[in-house]
Short mmCIF file of all heavy atoms in Angstrom, two decimals:
data_model
loop_
_atom_site.label_atom_id
_atom_site.label_comp_id
_atom_site.label_asym_id
_atom_site.label_seq_id
_atom_site.Cartn_x
_atom_site.Cartn_y
_atom_site.Cartn_z
N LYS A 17 77.25 0.18 35.84
CA LYS A 17 78.64 0.07 36.27
C LYS A 17 79.35 -1.03 35.51
O LYS A 17 78.78 -2.09 35.27
CB LYS A 17 78.69 -0.27 37.75
CG LYS A 17 78.47 0.93 38.61
CD LYS A 17 79.00 0.70 39.99
CE LYS A 17 78.26 -0.39 40.69
NZ LYS A 17 78.29 -0.20 42.13
N ARG A 65 86.04 0.08 40.19
CA ARG A 65 87.35 -0.55 40.52
C ARG A 65 88.54 0.25 39.96
O ARG A 65 89.44 0.61 40.70
CB ARG A 65 87.43 -1.99 40.01
CG ARG A 65 86.52 -2.93 40.71
CD ARG A 65 87.05 -3.51 41.98
NE ARG A 65 88.26 -4.29 41.85
CZ ARG A 65 88.91 -4.78 42.90
NH1 ARG A 65 88.43 -4.57 44.09
NH2 ARG A 65 90.01 -5.44 42.74
N LEU A 68 86.83 4.80 38.61
CA LEU A 68 85.88 5.34 39.58
C LEU A 68 85.32 6.67 39.13
O LEU A 68 85.31 7.65 39.87
CB LEU A 68 86.53 5.52 40.96
CG LEU A 68 87.22 4.32 41.58
CD1 LEU A 68 87.60 4.62 43.01
CD2 LEU A 68 86.32 3.10 41.53
N LYS A 112 80.88 12.38 45.94
CA LYS A 112 80.78 12.35 47.40
C LYS A 112 80.95 13.74 48.00
O LYS A 112 80.44 14.02 49.09
CB LYS A 112 81.85 11.41 47.97
CG LYS A 112 81.47 9.95 47.85
CD LYS A 112 82.41 9.08 48.66
CE LYS A 112 81.85 7.68 48.84
NZ LYS A 112 82.81 6.77 49.48
N ARG A 127 77.41 -1.23 45.85
CA ARG A 127 77.56 -2.55 45.24
C ARG A 127 76.53 -2.85 44.16
O ARG A 127 76.67 -3.81 43.42
CB ARG A 127 77.50 -3.62 46.32
CG ARG A 127 78.65 -3.45 47.29
CD ARG A 127 78.94 -4.69 48.03
NE ARG A 127 78.79 -5.87 47.18
CZ ARG A 127 78.72 -7.09 47.64
NH1 ARG A 127 78.78 -7.30 48.92
NH2 ARG A 127 78.60 -8.11 46.84
P DG C 25 83.36 -20.12 49.39
OP1 DG C 25 83.61 -21.28 48.52
OP2 DG C 25 84.45 -19.52 50.19
"O5'" DG C 25 82.70 -18.98 48.51
"C5'" DG C 25 81.46 -19.23 47.84
"C4'" DG C 25 81.07 -18.00 47.04
"O4'" DG C 25 80.56 -16.98 47.93
"C3'" DG C 25 82.25 -17.37 46.29
"O3'" DG C 25 81.80 -17.00 45.00
"C2'" DG C 25 82.61 -16.15 47.15
"C1'" DG C 25 81.27 -15.78 47.77
N9 DG C 25 81.38 -15.16 49.09
C8 DG C 25 82.16 -15.57 50.14
N7 DG C 25 82.03 -14.83 51.20
C5 DG C 25 81.11 -13.87 50.83
C6 DG C 25 80.57 -12.77 51.57
O6 DG C 25 80.81 -12.44 52.73
N1 DG C 25 79.66 -12.04 50.81
C2 DG C 25 79.32 -12.32 49.52
N2 DG C 25 78.43 -11.50 48.95
N3 DG C 25 79.81 -13.33 48.82
C4 DG C 25 80.70 -14.05 49.54
P DT C 26 82.71 -16.22 43.96
OP1 DT C 26 82.38 -16.71 42.62
OP2 DT C 26 84.09 -16.22 44.47
"O5'" DT C 26 82.14 -14.73 44.09
"C5'" DT C 26 80.76 -14.49 43.92
"C4'" DT C 26 80.53 -13.00 44.01
"O4'" DT C 26 80.70 -12.57 45.38
"C3'" DT C 26 81.48 -12.15 43.17
"O3'" DT C 26 80.66 -11.22 42.49
"C2'" DT C 26 82.41 -11.50 44.20
"C1'" DT C 26 81.49 -11.41 45.41
N1 DT C 26 82.12 -11.39 46.76
C2 DT C 26 81.72 -10.43 47.66
O2 DT C 26 80.90 -9.57 47.39
N3 DT C 26 82.31 -10.50 48.90
C4 DT C 26 83.24 -11.44 49.30
O4 DT C 26 83.67 -11.40 50.44
C5 DT C 26 83.62 -12.42 48.31
C7 DT C 26 84.61 -13.46 48.66
C6 DT C 26 83.04 -12.36 47.09
P DT C 27 81.25 -10.31 41.34
OP1 DT C 27 80.35 -10.44 40.20
OP2 DT C 27 82.71 -10.55 41.21
"O5'" DT C 27 81.05 -8.86 41.94
"C5'" DT C 27 79.83 -8.51 42.59
"C4'" DT C 27 80.08 -7.26 43.39
"O4'" DT C 27 80.88 -7.58 44.55
"C3'" DT C 27 80.85 -6.18 42.63
"O3'" DT C 27 80.04 -5.04 42.62
"C2'" DT C 27 82.17 -6.01 43.40
"C1'" DT C 27 81.80 -6.55 44.78
N1 DT C 27 82.85 -7.18 45.61
C2 DT C 27 82.94 -6.81 46.92
O2 DT C 27 82.24 -5.94 47.42
N3 DT C 27 83.89 -7.48 47.65
C4 DT C 27 84.73 -8.48 47.20
O4 DT C 27 85.52 -9.01 47.96
C5 DT C 27 84.59 -8.83 45.81
C7 DT C 27 85.46 -9.88 45.23
C6 DT C 27 83.66 -8.18 45.08
P DG C 28 80.31 -3.81 41.69
OP1 DG C 28 79.04 -3.09 41.56
OP2 DG C 28 81.06 -4.28 40.52
"O5'" DG C 28 81.28 -2.92 42.58
"C5'" DG C 28 80.80 -2.36 43.80
"C4'" DG C 28 81.95 -1.69 44.49
"O4'" DG C 28 82.81 -2.70 45.07
"C3'" DG C 28 82.85 -0.87 43.56
"O3'" DG C 28 83.19 0.30 44.25
"C2'" DG C 28 84.07 -1.75 43.38
"C1'" DG C 28 84.14 -2.38 44.74
N9 DG C 28 84.94 -3.59 44.87
C8 DG C 28 85.30 -4.47 43.88
N7 DG C 28 86.03 -5.46 44.32
C5 DG C 28 86.15 -5.22 45.68
C6 DG C 28 86.83 -5.94 46.70
O6 DG C 28 87.48 -6.98 46.58
N1 DG C 28 86.69 -5.35 47.95
C2 DG C 28 85.99 -4.19 48.19
N2 DG C 28 85.97 -3.76 49.46
N3 DG C 28 85.36 -3.50 47.25
C4 DG C 28 85.47 -4.07 46.02
P DG C 29 83.49 1.63 43.50
OP1 DG C 29 82.26 2.12 42.89
OP2 DG C 29 84.70 1.45 42.68
"O5'" DG C 29 83.86 2.55 44.73
"C5'" DG C 29 83.07 2.53 45.93
"C4'" DG C 29 83.99 2.68 47.13
"O4'" DG C 29 84.71 1.46 47.37
"C3'" DG C 29 85.04 3.78 46.99
"O3'" DG C 29 85.16 4.42 48.26
"C2'" DG C 29 86.31 3.03 46.61
"C1'" DG C 29 86.12 1.71 47.36
N9 DG C 29 86.74 0.55 46.71
C8 DG C 29 86.71 0.22 45.38
N7 DG C 29 87.35 -0.88 45.10
C5 DG C 29 87.84 -1.30 46.32
C6 DG C 29 88.62 -2.44 46.65
O6 DG C 29 89.05 -3.32 45.90
N1 DG C 29 88.92 -2.51 48.01
C2 DG C 29 88.51 -1.57 48.94
N2 DG C 29 88.89 -1.80 50.19
N3 DG C 29 87.78 -0.50 48.65
C4 DG C 29 87.48 -0.43 47.32
P DC C 30 85.94 5.77 48.47
OP1 DC C 30 85.26 6.46 49.55
OP2 DC C 30 86.16 6.41 47.17
"O5'" DC C 30 87.33 5.24 49.00
"C5'" DC C 30 87.38 4.67 50.32
"C4'" DC C 30 88.70 3.98 50.49
"O4'" DC C 30 88.77 2.82 49.64
"C3'" DC C 30 89.90 4.80 50.08
"O3'" DC C 30 90.37 5.56 51.17
"C2'" DC C 30 90.93 3.74 49.67
"C1'" DC C 30 90.14 2.47 49.54
N1 DC C 30 90.33 1.78 48.24
C2 DC C 30 91.05 0.59 48.21
O2 DC C 30 91.50 0.15 49.28
N3 DC C 30 91.24 -0.04 47.04
C4 DC C 30 90.74 0.47 45.91
N4 DC C 30 90.93 -0.18 44.78
C5 DC C 30 90.01 1.69 45.91
C6 DC C 30 89.82 2.32 47.09
#
Side-chain angles (χ1 to χ4, degrees):
Chain A
K17 280 200 296 208
R65 292 275 299 174
L68 307 189
K112 282 191 166 173
R127 297 201 38 194

